[in-house]
Amino acid sequence: MKALSRRALLLSIAGIIFVPNILLAEPVPLKRVIELALSHATGTAIAAADEQRAAAGYREARNTYVPQLSTGAGLGYSYGFPLSLAGSAPSLFNVNAQSALLNPSLREFLRAAKVDTTVASLRTKDERNQVIQDAALSYAELAKWEQRLAKLQETQAEANKMEAAVAQRVKEGVDNEIEGTKARLSAARIRLRTAEAQGAADVLREHLSKLTGLPAANLQTDPDSIPAAPAPVASDDAPKAAADSSPSVQASMEHARAQYLRAQGEHRALWPSVDFAAQYALLSRFNNFQNYYIPSKPCTVGGVSVLCVTNTFQQNNATVGVSIRFPLFNSSQRARAQAADADALKASKQAEAAKNQVTEETLRLQRSVAQMQAARDVAELEAEIAQKNLAAVQTRIDAGTANLHDLDDARAQVSERFITLQDVTFELQRAELGLLRSTGDLERWAMGK
């Protein structure tokens, strides 16, 4: 007896040590999963980078009006006339400044860059909703498979007992071989469903792990943390309101506006423009400037006014002014403007298509939610009937008016109805989350705001 007790104690300790991590993991509520996904998911990081890039593009266009300063030197030996180095006269030191003053084309491009920042912000918001929807759906589906696994484990134990009992009855000649095969088939089906549920749960845990940064082995759901979806508003104006408030539609419309501004900028590149320019150069004496650029001043020699050489060399030289351009003929720029017009028209039609798609999708989701709610009610009633039928069969077995096969059929029916109810409930959740995203209420639902 002592040896048996010691063996039981060792087995208990081993079971505690080697118990799967998922059984020891603390359930993570849905809100925490979504918070981690929003801070860790690659999609939100990419959207944030795009937003930063758009802001930098706007600053780049705006700073064209700020004088750009550069300094350097153009050192070199001159033989004969001092030729230019890299487009400027050889100098010991030079400073150049340039900026736009009046540029109709640049003004439109600057407005387009400003709109691009709004587009990037709206796309970040849309990507945020996408991450929330992805995390919530994956969490709800994982909860479904975890509940199904627990139910299948109970069913598997009952099926194994039934298979052993029928095998004994076949051996005793009470049942034929077909009944034994049916019992083995029933157990095999449960093992298949268990493998399917385990595989789906493992894939979803890995996906949530990538979204949140949590170890996959520690991801366990808390079904009670999934809030109930609000009742959908049955209004004919809801699809249009959803399209007007949709970040993706707003981003498409703003993108079309930016393309229109760019097209305007390409057309106005054919207009006159004025730029500010300034230059200072400290010239050397070893580049022969004094031999070819001889300063002079008016003087009177013999009663005649002539230019007299002053024999001085000015090393410090500066120029400040404006550069005015009048485009006269530029066929390439006209073609570029026409291409920009086509891009603007394309973006406008894409925005219109996006709005129509969101309107139709919202209407479809409204009808789908109503349909899936009715389907869930049917599935709940069928599951309730199957459960009551199982209780009735159990009572008949106790009374001796039913056999094991009747019980096996009733249990199989309960399992089927349970799986059907789970699938219908999840499809309802999928439709509800899609509708919440369309109406702009997804984050409020998920974060409890």
Side-chain angles (χ1 to χ4, degrees):
M1 180 65 70
K2 291 182 179 180
L4 184 60
S5 299
R6 187 180 296 113
R7 181 181 179 186
L9 179 61
L10 290 175
L11 289 175
S12 300
I13 295 175
I16 294 174
I17 294 175
F18 296 105
V19 68
N21 290 335
I22 190 63
L23 297 179
L24 296 177
E26 184 178 353
V28 184
L30 174 61
K31 184 177 180 180
R32 179 58 178 163
V33 167
I34 291 177
E35 289 173 346
L36 291 173
L38 289 174
S39 62
H40 187 270
T42 56
T44 53
I46 293 172
D50 288 339
E51 192 170 356
Q52 292 176 358
R53 184 181 183 280
Y58 169 70
R59 292 194 300 271
E60 178 186 0
R62 183 191 60 189
N63 291 340
T64 309
Y65 288 98
V66 179
Q68 302 174 15
L69 296 176
S70 63
T71 184
L75 300 177
Y77 173 73
S78 295
Y79 178 78
F81 188 83
L83 303 175
S84 64
L85 290 174
S88 61
S91 59
L92 297 175
F93 174 75
N94 60 69
V95 178
N96 296 279
Q98 187 175 3
S99 67
L101 283 181
L102 298 175
N103 194 319
S105 175
L106 179 61
R107 184 171 64 249
E108 298 303 317
F109 288 142
L110 179 60
R111 294 172 62 190
K114 180 65 174 178
V115 175
D116 281 339
T117 61
T118 304
V119 173
S121 177
L122 290 168
R123 287 177 175 168
T124 298
K125 183 179 180 180
D126 187 56
E127 181 61 33
R128 181 181 177 89
N129 288 336
Q130 173 61 36
V131 170
I132 293 175
Q133 184 180 17
D134 185 14
L137 275 177
S138 300
Y139 188 92
E141 188 174 5
L142 178 58
K144 180 190 80 169
W145 290 114
E146 285 180 347
Q147 292 173 346
R148 185 173 299 186
L149 273 173
K151 186 69 174 179
L152 286 172
Q153 288 172 358
E154 298 176 2
T155 308
Q156 183 69 61
E158 295 171 352
N160 290 338
K161 292 179 182 179
M162 180 64 67
E163 182 181 359
V166 173
Q168 183 63 33
R169 288 166 64 89
V170 171
K171 184 178 180 181
E172 295 174 354
V174 178
D175 287 336
N176 54 33
E177 290 291 339
I178 295 179
E179 298 298 337
T181 304
K182 289 181 178 179
R184 292 195 302 273
L185 176 60
S186 178
R189 283 173 176 167
I190 296 174
R191 288 194 296 271
L192 173 61
R193 286 175 177 166
T194 301
E196 177 190 11
Q198 187 63 59
D202 291 342
V203 171
L204 286 167
R205 285 195 186 96
E206 186 65 24
H207 179 62
L208 285 173
S209 175
K210 295 295 187 295
L211 275 178
T212 62
L214 294 173
N218 294 340
L219 277 169
Q220 186 178 359
T221 64
D222 179 12
D224 294 335
S225 68
I226 303 177
V233 179
S235 173
D236 294 336
D237 296 333
K240 183 179 182 300
D244 293 338
S245 62
S246 170
S248 61
V249 173
Q250 291 176 353
S252 297
M253 296 178 67
E254 289 297 309
H255 175 67
R257 179 165 165 255
Q259 291 297 92
Y260 170 77
L261 292 173
R262 286 191 177 88
Q264 289 290 99
E266 296 292 350
H267 282 285
R268 293 186 181 184
L270 300 171
W271 291 15
S273 62
V274 180
D275 293 339
F276 165 79
Q279 184 178 14
Y280 165 79
L282 177 63
L283 303 180
S284 66
R285 292 183 179 276
F286 53 78
N287 288 112
N288 303 330
F289 287 110
Q290 66 275 14
N291 296 332
Y292 294 94
Y293 299 97
I294 302 175
S296 60
K297 66 179 181 178
C299 63
T300 302
V301 178
V304 179
S305 179
V306 297
L307 294 175
C308 299
V309 177
T310 62
N311 293 323
T312 61
F313 172 62
Q314 180 65 37
Q315 282 189 285
N316 296 288
N317 300 268
T319 300
V320 179
V322 294
S323 173
I324 305 175
R325 290 185 298 274
F326 293 91
L328 296 178
F329 180 75
N330 191 335
S331 57
S332 297
Q333 182 59 39
R334 291 186 184 278
R336 190 177 299 113
Q338 291 171 356
D341 287 337
D343 289 338
L345 178 61
K346 176 183 176 181
S348 176
K349 294 303 180 182
Q350 287 176 336
E352 183 180 349
K355 184 175 182 179
N356 292 337
Q357 181 180 2
V358 170
T359 302
E360 294 172 5
E361 181 67 11
T362 303
L363 181 60
R364 186 190 68 81
L365 288 171
Q366 276 186 317
R367 302 301 182 261
S368 179
V369 166
Q371 178 183 349
M372 296 310 299
Q373 285 176 340
R376 183 192 57 185
D377 294 340
V378 172
E380 286 178 346
L381 291 173
E382 290 178 343
E384 182 180 351
I385 291 173
Q387 192 65 42
K388 290 181 178 179
N389 184 52
L390 176 60
V393 170
Q394 187 65 53
T395 302
R396 289 168 54 200
I397 285 182
D398 295 340
T401 59
N403 55 36
L404 290 178
H405 303 298
D406 296 330
L407 181 61
D408 186 40
D409 292 341
R411 286 174 176 171
Q413 190 73 8
V414 168
S415 179
E416 290 290 338
R417 297 308 181 192
F418 173 76
I419 291 174
T420 301
L421 177 59
Q422 273 199 317
D423 291 338
V424 170
T425 301
F426 175 69
E427 290 304 320
L428 173 60
Q429 290 176 323
R430 186 197 300 276
E432 288 174 336
L433 290 181
L435 184 59
L436 287 172
R437 181 180 177 184
S438 294
T439 57
D441 298 324
L442 181 61
E443 186 169 359
R444 187 183 304 110
W445 167 84
M447 309 303 291
K449 295 181 180 180

